């Protein structure tokens, strides 16, 4: 990857709205703590969350050196740090190692690690996270999977008010806002993802109330108004790094195995009772 291409990609990432939110929050500004990126599978939610987290931290570092313009920040970052941007990154770079590698939670082993980290924060044995990134693991389906998944779901449901104690910034991805626990949903800034042929768009909408004169009365109604929109072009420069993609893919495979095992156990129980778990499907022979 040429330095010109990398510089162009970095400048684009530094100017994204969510990047600025992350940077402002890390710098101590009073903005949202928790953000959710919601959209269908494969649209690029995880890629967007990863790059805005990374670029937000880089912009925060620029602020600490009084570098507020995008061009001078990009030059400073490329000169001082050995960073990797794009789909060719096979290993975490120094910013990933410093900030993100241990703050990204994507699988079942990560849930146990997250619990240990939260306990250490509560006991004063470590500082809170600068960034906490949960990729498609904090959803209602966790409750039905049982075990540590159910406990994680319940923990976040009951302790939403402690998010600021755990991390300066919380980023999470989900296929649907409805899958997020209700108490946490109220604390989140929801960003909707949608794709076209050339780019993926990420939109933050606010709910507004207007009044319509109807049959001699003013009738209030709600509507969504776009506050801002980010865009990631469909380019290898903006693809997820290999190391993170492999980590997420491994999580998906393990989740499939968990559900497969749950189904096997359910079938076994029904057979032991002498009933068919698929009786509701009817008789195929008729």
């Amino acid at each position: 990857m040429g330095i010109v291409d990398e510089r162009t990609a970095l400048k684009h990432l530094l100017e994204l709205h969510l990047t600025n939110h992350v940077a402002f929050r890390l710098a101590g500004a009073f903005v949202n703590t928790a953000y959710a990126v919601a959209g269908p599978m494969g649209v690029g939610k995880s890629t967007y969350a990863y790059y805005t987290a990374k670029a937000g931290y880089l912009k925060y570092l620029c602020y600490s050196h009084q570098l507020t313009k995008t061009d001078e920040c990009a030059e400073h970052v490329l000169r001082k740090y050995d960073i990797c941007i794009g789909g060719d990154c096979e290993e975490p770079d120094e910013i990933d190692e410093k900030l993100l590698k241990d703050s990204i939670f994507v699988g079942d082993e990560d849930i146990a690690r997250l619990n240990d980290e939260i306990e250490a924060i509560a006991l004063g044995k470590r500082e809170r996270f600068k960034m906490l990134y949960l990729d498609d693991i904090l959803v209602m389906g966790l409750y039905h999977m049982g075990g540590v998944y159910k406990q994680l779901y319940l923990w976040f449901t009951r302790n939403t008010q402690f998010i600021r104690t755990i991390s300066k910034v919380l980023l999470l991805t989900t296929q649907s806002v409805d899958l997020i626990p209700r108490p946490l949903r109220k604390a989140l800034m929801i960003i909707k993802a949608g794709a076209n042929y050339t780019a993926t768009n990420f939109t933050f909408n606010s709910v507004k109330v207007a009044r319509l004169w109807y049959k001699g009365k003013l009738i209030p109604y709600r509507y969504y108004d776009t506050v801002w929109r980010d865009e990631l072009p469909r380019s290898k420069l903006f693809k997820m790094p290999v190391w993170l993609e492999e980590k997420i893919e491994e999580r998906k495979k393990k989740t499939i195995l968990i559900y497969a095992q749950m189904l096997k156990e359910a079938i076994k129980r029904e057979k032991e009772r002498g009933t068919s778990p698929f009786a509701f499907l009817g008789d195929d022979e008729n």
Side-chain angles (χ1 to χ4, degrees):
M1 180 186 300
I3 186 67
V4 174
D5 291 334
E6 188 174 62
R7 182 181 286 109
T8 303
L10 178 59
K11 287 180 181 180
H12 181 84
L13 294 172
L14 289 170
E15 291 181 341
L16 295 176
H17 288 88
L18 185 55
T19 294
N20 285 310
H21 274 262
V22 171
F24 292 155
R25 180 60 192 153
L26 291 175
F30 187 73
V31 294
N32 285 67
T33 299
Y35 305 83
V37 185
M41 292 186 295
V43 76
K45 304 183 299 294
S46 300
T47 304
Y48 175 69
Y50 163 75
Y51 278 121
T52 51
K54 185 172 186 173
Y57 180 65
L58 289 170
K59 198 160 192 174
Y60 158 69
L61 294 177
C62 286
Y63 288 160
S64 66
H65 290 87
Q66 288 76 51
L67 302 173
T68 58
K69 295 182 179 179
T70 299
D71 287 344
E72 60 186 13
C73 179
E75 294 299 327
H76 171 76
V77 167
L78 292 172
R79 184 174 59 252
K80 186 170 183 178
Y81 304 104
D82 182 19
I83 66 167
C84 186
I85 296 174
D88 292 327
C89 304
E90 296 183 356
E91 299 291 338
D93 62 28
E94 70 172 292
I95 297 298
D96 295 323
E97 292 282 0
K98 185 175 182 180
L99 173 72
L100 290 171
K101 185 180 177 183
D102 293 329
S103 300
I104 298 176
F105 297 86
V106 300
D108 52 350
E109 295 96 341
D110 283 351
I111 292 176
R113 179 168 63 87
L114 176 58
N115 184 63
D116 291 341
E117 297 287 3
I118 291 173
E119 183 180 25
I121 292 170
L123 293 172
K125 295 181 178 180
R126 64 151 291 171
E127 295 182 352
R128 63 175 171 168
F129 289 99
K130 282 187 175 67
M131 191 86 60
L132 185 57
Y133 173 19
L134 308 180
D135 186 80
D136 273 345
I137 63 172
L138 187 59
V139 297
M140 289 183 178
L142 292 174
Y143 184 89
H144 301 290
M145 290 170 69
V148 293
Y149 293 93
K150 180 178 179 179
Q151 294 306 315
L152 177 68
Y153 173 86
L154 292 174
W155 192 96
F156 270 95
T157 299
R158 295 168 180 166
N159 296 284
T160 302
Q161 67 269 33
F162 300 129
I163 290 175
R164 290 177 184 269
T165 304
I166 299 167
S167 179
K168 281 190 174 182
V169 178
L170 170 65
L171 287 172
L172 62 89
T173 62
T174 179
Q175 292 182 39
S176 170
V177 177
D178 294 335
L179 297 175
I180 301 172
R182 285 184 181 275
L184 179 58
R185 199 184 311 168
K186 295 178 180 178
L188 291 170
M189 182 173 174
I190 308 295
I191 300 161
K192 300 289 184 68
N196 56 39
Y197 290 109
T198 60
T200 303
N201 298 308
F202 302 89
T203 306
F204 171 63
N205 298 316
S206 67
V207 179
K208 293 190 175 182
V209 178
R211 288 175 173 79
L212 178 68
W213 188 264
Y214 181 71
K215 292 185 177 181
K217 295 181 180 180
L218 282 175
I219 308 297
Y221 68 95
R222 290 184 176 184
Y223 69 96
Y224 289 98
D225 184 49
T226 298
V227 179
W228 53 256
R229 179 182 289 108
D230 282 339
E231 180 180 283
L232 281 187
R234 288 189 176 276
S235 164
K236 195 170 186 179
L237 285 168
F238 299 103
K239 286 190 68 176
M240 183 181 293
V242 174
W243 65 270
L244 180 55
E245 188 170 19
E246 289 178 347
K247 191 173 184 179
I248 291 174
E249 189 63 26
E250 185 65 24
R251 184 280 314 279
K252 291 178 180 177
K253 290 178 181 177
K254 289 184 177 181
T255 303
I256 290 172
L257 291 175
I258 290 172
Y259 279 122
Q261 185 60 37
M262 291 172 62
L263 180 57
K264 282 183 179 180
E265 292 175 357
I267 293 173
K268 181 180 179 181
R269 285 195 300 270
E270 293 300 322
K271 285 184 176 180
E272 289 173 350
R273 294 172 184 167
T275 59
S276 170
F278 305 112
F280 66 94
L281 296 176
D283 189 350
D284 291 337
E285 296 182 359
N286 293 329

